[in-house]
Every structure is written in C-alpha cells, then in structure tokens.
Amino acid sequence: MMEGYIKLSRKFFSNDMWNEARTFSSCEAWLDLIQSARFEATPRMESIGGREVSYTRGQYPASIRFLSKRWHWSERRVRTFLAFLKRENMITLSKEQGMNIITLVKYNDYNGNPTDTASDTSNDTMSDTNIIQEINDLRSQVTQLMTQLSTQRVTQPPKEAEKRHTGDTKQIKEKNIIKETTTNVVAKKDAAKAATLSRKESFYQSLVPYVGQYPKEMIRAFFNYWSELNKSETKMRYELEKTWELPRRLATWASREKVPSKTDVGIVLKDNSPEKYKKGW
C-alpha cells in the first residue's frame, strides 16, 4: 500500500456534495468526527442543552440523538459505531459534564503540530489586520477628500464689490471669472480623485476573497501594480485594459511568478477507514 498523506481543505465540508441529505457510511461518519472535533488548542466553553460544557483540541461534544440525525442513522447504530471506535482505541468517551464528549485519541496525526498551527493562525490574523487597516486608510482618504470638496462648494470666496467706474467693474468681472474657473477646476479634480480612491478601495475589496488561495504577499504586489494611477489620477492601470477577468489575471500572475496556490490549513489523512486502525492505530 502507498504511504504518505492527503491534505484535505476544511472548505471541502462546506461543499454541497458533502452536505447533501444521505445516510452516512461508517467511513463518512469517522471523517465527520475528525472534521467536527475542535481544531484550536485553546479550550472552549459552550452552552449545550442548558449545560455549560468545556472541551478542547481533538474533542467533540455530541449526543447520540444529535449524531443519529446528522448521519441519518438509528440511535442503536450510533452507539454500536462509537463502541467499535472505543474498542479499537480510536476514541474515548466521557460524560463527566453531563454531555457525551468524544475525544479522538490521535487527533494530532490528522492535524499537525498545534504549536505550528497557532503560529500560522497568529500570522494570518496579523496579515488580515494589516489588510483591514489599509482598507480603512483608503476610506479615510475618500472621506477627507469629499469633506474638502463639500467645504469648497459651501465657502466660495465672495465676489468683490463692484465699483462704479466702468474700467474697474470690467477688471473685477474678469478676476471673478478666473477665480470661479480655478475653483471649479480644483473641485472637479478633487471629485475625480475621490471617485478614483473609492474605486481603488472596491478593487482592494475584490481581492480579499483570494487571500486564502494565493499568498498575501502576491496579492499585495498584484494590487500595487494594477492600482497604479495615471498622471491625472482618474484611472487605475487595470481600468485601462480592454478586457479584465480578475480570476484569470491572478492565475496568470501566479504562473509568471511561479507562485503555487496557498493550501488552507486542513485535515491530513492517512487512511480514513476505521478498519485500518484494527492494528497499531
């Protein structure tokens, strides 16, 4: 038999194929226990059925009735299956908190080192925080420009009092025309810049869903390149393209940079069949 591991993204369990109504096989039930057990190393306190239940990494609080509905099994079949897993030293069962707590004996074999996981989670959280901060900065810039634009419209400089002399009146009118023209030009430029920054923020937001698929450094480099403004600051580089499909552009960028798609933290499986564990699990 071939040795090694299969990395299975946790997004698999959100797929319609997994969630379709069906009677689970024993293998599917075992895999469901693995993906349902708490992944984080920190304990969790949760109110279940009116009881405060505490559980930690590799544990899953679930009643026989709940698993029966989840797997479309009879309660008797659930008890028999759990007894089998317990007998094969694949799980332990505890009811000390008044709730059935299932503990996967070798949970770390499926999910790696919890210390490494915590570090990766911390780094991802910091990077996500930086992205949110950049988005907020863009919003702040747009708000400031819109405020300046509104202020300029409200506080237009008053026209100079017209003098009775015909020559002076003509000069005053010409000055007013120049001032009004200049003010309008500045206002239009500020409005265009504000609109561009708003679109830039939208462009940034459109990239956020791809952070889990590609490295954050690549996404940021992609954004910096394609969001570069033209001289008049009214268009971004990507807006000057005749065609634009974001997923294809990202894939092409990743291919040219030789950047592999980022693999989500997932479940590592050797053999998900319970029968595999009859010897040396």
Side-chain angles (χ1 to χ4, degrees):
M1 179 179 291
M2 295 180 63
E3 297 292 335
Y5 297 84
I6 298 173
K7 287 187 177 181
L8 182 62
S9 170
R10 291 183 181 276
K11 292 181 179 179
F12 169 82
F13 300 100
S14 299
N15 190 283
D16 291 340
M17 290 188 294
W18 175 260
N19 291 320
E20 67 180 357
R22 70 192 186 283
T23 299
F24 277 46
S25 65
S26 296
C27 181
E28 288 174 314
W30 170 239
L31 185 58
D32 190 45
L33 289 178
I34 295 174
Q35 70 97 7
S36 298
R38 180 162 176 77
F39 181 72
E40 292 78 11
T42 55
R44 174 182 175 84
M45 180 68 72
E46 186 175 352
S47 178
I48 303 176
R51 298 185 179 89
E52 292 295 325
V53 179
S54 175
Y55 58 102
T56 187
R57 179 177 170 84
Q59 294 185 324
Y60 181 39
S63 66
I64 299 297
R65 180 178 299 178
F66 173 79
L67 294 177
S68 173
K69 292 181 179 180
R70 184 179 179 89
W71 297 341
H72 295 270
W73 287 5
S74 67
E75 293 187 10
R76 180 179 179 181
R77 183 179 178 184
V78 174
R79 290 191 180 91
T80 302
F81 179 67
L82 294 180
F84 166 77
L85 297 179
K86 184 178 180 181
R87 187 170 61 251
E88 296 299 319
N89 197 32
M90 297 165 70
I91 65 170
T92 61
L93 297 173
S94 172
K95 294 184 178 180
E96 294 179 359
Q97 302 182 66
M99 167 64 68
N100 203 41
I101 306 294
I102 302 171
T103 301
L104 277 68
V105 175
K106 294 187 178 181
Y107 182 76
N108 287 342
D109 287 1
Y110 296 91
N111 292 273
N113 191 314
T115 303
D116 295 340
T117 301
S119 176
D120 292 341
T121 302
S122 176
N123 291 335
D124 288 344
T125 301
M126 291 177 63
S127 298
D128 291 341
T129 301
N130 292 337
I131 291 175
I132 293 172
Q133 182 60 46
E134 290 184 18
I135 292 174
N136 290 335
D137 290 343
L138 282 173
R139 287 176 175 169
S140 178
Q141 292 179 34
V142 172
T143 301
Q144 290 177 3
L145 281 171
M146 294 303 293
T147 301
Q148 293 175 5
L149 182 59
S150 299
T151 302
Q152 289 174 357
R153 288 176 177 174
V154 173
T155 59
Q156 289 284 350
K159 296 182 179 180
E160 295 181 8
E162 296 185 358
K163 297 182 180 181
R164 295 182 178 179
H165 193 279
T166 305
D168 293 339
T169 302
K170 184 178 180 180
Q171 290 179 359
I172 291 172
K173 287 183 178 179
E174 290 176 351
K175 287 181 180 180
N176 287 337
I177 291 173
I178 293 173
K179 286 183 180 180
E180 290 176 0
T181 302
T182 303
T183 301
N184 290 336
V185 170
V186 172
K188 288 180 179 179
K189 285 184 177 180
D190 287 344
K193 187 175 182 181
T196 303
L197 283 175
S198 179
R199 296 198 311 279
K200 187 174 182 180
E201 178 193 345
S202 299
F203 179 46
Y204 199 115
Q205 290 278 17
S206 70
L207 292 170
V208 172
Y210 295 93
V211 172
Q213 183 177 352
Y214 299 102
K216 292 182 176 63
E217 294 77 10
M218 193 210 86
I219 295 292
R220 184 167 283 104
F222 182 89
F223 170 75
N224 290 338
Y225 177 80
W226 286 110
S227 65
E228 183 180 357
L229 302 179
N230 59 3
K231 291 183 179 180
S232 61
E233 297 186 343
T234 56
K235 293 283 186 180
M236 286 175 280
R237 187 193 297 272
Y238 88 91
E239 293 176 322
L240 300 175
E241 295 291 307
K242 293 182 178 180
T243 59
W244 181 265
E245 289 187 44
L246 184 56
R248 291 190 176 185
R249 293 281 182 166
L250 282 169
T252 301
W253 184 284
S255 175
R256 290 176 179 174
E257 296 294 326
K258 298 182 179 180
V259 176
S261 295
K262 181 179 179 182
T263 303
D264 295 331
V265 176
I267 298 173
V268 182
L269 300 178
K270 290 183 179 178
D271 186 339
N272 57 14
S273 171
E275 287 76 8
K276 170 69 176 179
Y277 299 91
K278 289 186 178 180
K279 295 183 179 179
W281 194 89

